[in-house]
Amino acid sequence: MSQNRLYLKYYKSYRDKIYNYFLYRVAFNQMIAEDLCSEVFLRAFDKFDDFDKERSFQSWIYAIAHNSLCNYYRGANREVNLEEAEHYSLENFNSISNSIESQKIIEKIKKLDGYSREVLLLRFVDELSNSEIANLLGKNEGAIRTQISRALNILKSEITDNYNI
Amino acid sequence: MKDIFEQLNQLPKGKLRLKPEMRLRFLLYRKMIVKDFSKFKILFVSHSVMRAAIVMVLILPIVVAVPGYAYASKGVVEGHLLYPVKKAVENIELSLATTEEKKSETLDKLAQRRFAEAEVISEDLINNDKKEDVLVKTIQAGVALNIQSNILKKVTEEENDKKVKAEDPKAKLLENVALNVGIKRQEKVVDTVAWALENIKNNKYKNKIKKNSFEDMASTTKEEVRLETEEMTTSTQEVMFENNKNTNNGNNKVLEKNNPSTTNSRFEILKQEVKDLKNYLQSEGFVEEEVDELSEKLNNKIKNSENAQSKNNQKEVEDILESAETLKNNAKFFMKKTDKNNGQGNGNSNNNSETSKEKSNNGKAKGKNK
């Protein structure tokens, strides 16, 4: 299979996942998520000749997406205004999901600390394995497992508290 | 309450919309095409030097081949489409010769090339009489170049003699031209070839020309040299005859010629020589018809010069007598031998040129003694 055809195959498999990855991290702003998604796939194509086919494409493309996101936030005037983010999230969330339970759980995830939130999103939204998350975040697998467990406990207790109230 | 894992797994998943997806796909395809074509990017380079280099590589064979063919081919003669190219290349060659010696060598080479062209033209003459003028012009140009070459070389009498003995290739070419032209051809053509032969073979006029007239010419630009060489061809003959008349170099014959009182005896001597030549050529087995033609041509010349003498036109007398003597001296080169005397047929008279020349000279000497 030629390089181009192989890349197109990967593109079809991962375009929605990458889009989703950005969507959850730019406060559900679809326009920004689309732009970032495009940028990732175009950059990845340029580097595809250097990509080691023995490695997982998923880890590679998520690493590129992670870098793109970092660059996006590092850019001037990209500090996310919390109120604005809230607004985006609620507005767009309504269009994406009609599940009240999902809306609530997203609200809870948003309130978690950055590290816990990132680990949970990677694990349950992006559906990466523990080892892939560890690779992406530069941690060891055990630490990731612990962090997920801790974040889930916090989330659980938050939800239980809500019900109790 | 649902299990927390279930809730997390059921979080909504976004999907890339059609429009941005198509846009991204388009951008990817474009990148793929550009990447594939980049293998041939040498053909699409924007760098001006590279582009120029590619154009040069494509054009070079044409630039080299056309002048190369024009220069090297004998078939490119005056009137040919590529003849100006040939001349241009020759001009460059001449301009590259810096020293006088080199220039002389180049001019000699160019003279030889003119005679080679003349040979080609003369071979075509049977089919195309219109080429006679071209032939005359080419031969005259060749002689003029040869004269220039000799002037620059500052050849001495001894060197000239050595050169003649060593069989100048130019003479050989002219002999072929003479044979192709034949004695029956127009007088103008025959006279020109005979004159050129006399000039190249015997160096008769070479050292008698006023040096300045050609040195000036040689020092002008190549283009002018070329033009003058061609234009002066008609005047060359005159210049040479003029100088012949004016040169006081101890040559008894020239002195004799310049004295009008001896002209009548010259007619007589010439008539006798023509008779001797006719007998000699007949005995050598040259074609009877051609010998008669030659004899008629020479006698006509003598008659014309006698008429001019009666009109007291000394210059014309001299010119005609000169041309008659030139033709007489080189007559054998125009003639073919009969098959019965020469088993190999036409065109082989040159094989005996040395011996026949000697005999011819003996004949002339006898005539003079009378």
Side-chain angles (χ1 to χ4, degrees):
Chain A
M1 193 184 285
S2 75
Q3 290 278 89
N4 291 348
R5 289 180 73 179
L6 181 65
Y7 187 78
L8 282 174
K9 193 184 149 203
Y10 283 136
Y11 164 74
K12 280 176 196 166
S13 309
Y14 287 96
R15 65 182 174 209
D16 290 336
K17 284 186 177 180
I18 296 298
Y19 171 69
N20 209 38
Y21 171 86
F22 286 119
L23 201 61
Y24 272 84
R25 287 161 182 81
V26 292
F28 296 97
N29 186 326
Q30 288 180 320
M31 299 276 273
I32 296 170
E34 283 160 5
D35 281 352
L36 288 169
C37 180
S38 294
E39 189 190 313
V40 165
F41 278 102
L42 294 173
R43 268 176 66 187
F45 180 76
D46 290 339
K47 309 269 180 192
F48 192 57
D49 285 341
D50 302 330
F51 167 62
D52 181 4
K53 307 290 183 297
E54 302 292 310
R55 282 180 59 198
S56 153
F57 182 81
Q58 180 165 276
S59 302
W60 186 66
I61 198 79
Y62 271 97
I64 294 173
H66 181 73
N67 287 336
S68 291
L69 191 69
C70 291
N71 288 340
Y72 170 74
Y73 281 119
R74 203 180 291 136
N77 302 323
R78 295 267 168 75
E79 299 262 336
V80 184
N81 183 315
L82 280 175
E83 278 178 25
E84 193 185 346
E86 183 85 1
H87 171 71
Y88 270 129
S89 89
L90 290 171
E91 191 183 77
N92 292 299
F93 180 74
N94 287 337
S95 65
I96 292 167
S97 168
N98 50 13
S99 157
I100 298 165
E101 282 181 350
S102 296
Q103 195 174 348
K104 276 182 185 169
I105 208 155
I106 286 170
E107 288 298 319
K108 298 290 174 202
I109 290 171
K110 272 173 68 182
K111 282 174 187 162
L112 292 174
D113 65 291
Y115 184 31
S116 300
R117 188 173 60 220
E118 182 67 14
V119 169
L120 280 185
L121 286 176
L122 286 170
R123 182 72 189 83
F124 296 101
V125 178
D126 302 320
E127 296 169 346
L128 298 189
S129 67
N130 288 348
S131 63
E132 281 172 331
I133 297 168
N135 266 338
L136 192 64
L137 301 179
K139 310 272 180 189
N140 68 50
E141 209 180 324
I144 296 297
R145 205 181 297 124
T146 316
Q147 189 61 39
I148 290 172
S149 157
R150 195 177 295 159
L152 281 173
N153 285 335
I154 297 168
L155 207 59
K156 247 184 216 172
S157 63
E158 284 276 331
I159 292 167
T160 318
D161 287 351
N162 264 5
Y163 270 92
N164 292 338
I165 292 165
Chain B
M1 183 194 141
K2 281 183 188 171
D3 180 38
I4 185 82
F5 283 101
E6 200 182 329
Q7 283 187 37
L8 282 169
N9 283 330
Q10 281 176 355
L11 279 173
K13 303 276 165 49
K15 202 175 177 193
L16 197 57
R17 288 180 300 177
L18 184 66
K19 201 176 165 187
E21 204 272 329
M22 294 303 284
R23 189 174 144 266
L24 176 55
R25 208 173 257 267
F26 168 76
L27 291 171
L28 276 175
Y29 283 137
R30 198 178 68 175
K31 268 185 179 282
M32 284 170 185
I33 291 167
V34 170
K35 191 181 159 192
D36 286 346
F37 271 86
S38 68
K39 290 170 194 165
F40 311 102
K41 68 180 173 189
I42 190 77
L43 298 174
F44 302 98
V45 277
S46 57
H47 199 281
S48 57
V49 177
M50 279 300 288
R51 203 180 292 169
I54 290 166
V55 172
M56 281 292 287
V57 166
L58 294 174
I59 290 175
L60 203 66
I62 302 164
V63 173
V64 173
V66 172
Y69 166 74
Y71 181 73
S73 173
K74 275 192 219 170
V76 178
V77 295
E78 182 136 357
H80 192 283
L81 193 70
L82 292 176
Y83 197 62
V85 180
K86 186 178 191 174
K87 280 189 161 187
V89 177
E90 284 179 356
N91 276 339
I92 293 166
E93 194 182 2
L94 198 60
S95 66
L96 289 174
T98 43
T99 61
E100 282 206 344
E101 198 184 343
K102 288 256 172 163
K103 202 167 259 180
S104 163
E105 273 174 26
T106 314
L107 285 166
D108 188 68
K109 194 174 143 195
L110 294 184
Q112 198 172 321
R113 291 170 68 85
R114 287 295 90 78
F115 293 139
E117 284 168 17
E119 192 185 9
V120 173
I121 299 168
S122 69
E123 280 163 7
D124 249 18
L125 221 51
I126 303 155
N127 307 321
N128 191 359
D129 280 351
K130 285 173 191 169
K131 286 199 170 176
E132 281 179 345
D133 286 340
V134 179
L135 178 68
V136 169
K137 217 174 164 187
T138 309
I139 291 173
Q140 287 173 341
V143 173
L145 285 165
N146 191 54
I147 292 166
Q148 285 183 66
S149 164
N150 283 332
I151 290 166
L152 285 174
K153 209 185 280 177
K154 298 178 180 114
V155 277
T156 62
E157 286 279 359
E158 280 175 34
E159 281 170 347
N160 268 341
D161 292 343
K162 269 185 206 168
K163 199 179 165 189
V164 173
K165 276 175 194 165
E167 270 289 315
D168 193 343
K170 296 193 291 287
K172 184 81 187 160
L173 287 168
L174 279 172
E175 281 174 18
N176 292 341
V177 173
L179 198 67
N180 289 332
V181 165
I183 198 72
K184 289 178 183 171
R185 194 63 58 178
Q186 252 190 55
E187 200 176 327
K188 180 180 71 177
V189 183
V190 175
D191 281 354
T192 309
V193 179
W195 165 72
L197 271 165
E198 188 77 1
N199 201 299
I200 302 297
K201 282 182 88 71
N202 302 334
N203 290 296
K204 190 178 172 183
Y205 306 112
K206 279 177 187 169
N207 298 312
K208 295 172 190 170
I209 299 159
K210 204 190 278 178
K211 204 177 168 185
N212 291 343
S213 61
F214 287 99
E215 269 191 343
D216 289 348
M217 204 168 69
S219 64
T220 51
T221 61
K222 287 92 222 164
E223 201 58 45
E224 283 165 354
V225 167
R226 173 78 51 222
L227 288 169
E228 282 185 51
T229 307
E230 282 164 6
E231 279 166 10
M232 73 139 216
T233 45
T234 42
S235 60
T236 308
Q237 207 162 358
E238 286 163 20
V239 170
M240 288 190 294
F241 290 142
E242 202 68 39
N243 281 293
N244 253 343
K245 280 182 246 166
N246 299 335
T247 315
N248 188 7
N249 61 355
N251 187 331
N252 290 334
K253 200 178 170 189
V254 175
L255 281 173
E256 194 184 311
K257 277 180 198 168
N258 289 337
N259 188 350
S261 63
T262 58
T263 312
N264 286 333
S265 62
R266 264 182 85 190
F267 290 141
E268 293 309 314
I269 291 166
L270 197 57
K271 277 177 191 169
Q272 188 55 47
E273 280 180 353
V274 169
K275 268 183 203 168
D276 288 348
L277 179 66
K278 191 180 174 185
N279 292 335
Y280 162 72
L281 291 173
Q282 277 170 346
S283 69
E284 279 292 307
F286 284 96
V287 179
E288 193 84 21
E289 204 183 324
E290 290 191 353
V291 176
D292 289 343
E293 179 85 25
L294 170 74
S295 164
E296 197 186 323
K297 269 194 172 147
L298 286 171
N299 285 329
N300 277 343
K301 279 182 190 290
I302 295 166
K303 210 177 277 175
N304 288 341
S305 62
E306 277 174 339
N307 288 340
Q309 173 77 3
S310 64
K311 287 174 192 164
N312 244 345
N313 190 346
Q314 197 59 32
K315 189 180 177 301
E316 200 183 333
V317 174
E318 285 298 333
D319 286 354
I320 298 170
L321 282 178
E322 280 288 352
S323 71
E325 279 171 359
T326 309
L327 180 59
K328 182 204 72 189
N329 292 344
N330 298 290
K332 62 183 177 297
F333 300 115
F334 291 87
M335 322 260 258
K336 296 180 183 91
K337 284 194 172 183
T338 50
D339 285 348
K340 60 181 177 182
N341 290 317
N342 188 339
Q344 290 175 9
N346 294 346
N348 289 320
S349 58
N350 292 328
N351 296 339
N352 304 321
S353 61
E354 228 19 82
T355 49
S356 58
K357 191 181 164 188
E358 278 167 23
K359 283 178 186 174
S360 169
N361 287 339
N362 290 340
K364 275 187 271 173
K366 274 179 203 171
K368 275 179 194 171
N369 290 338
K370 280 177 192 176

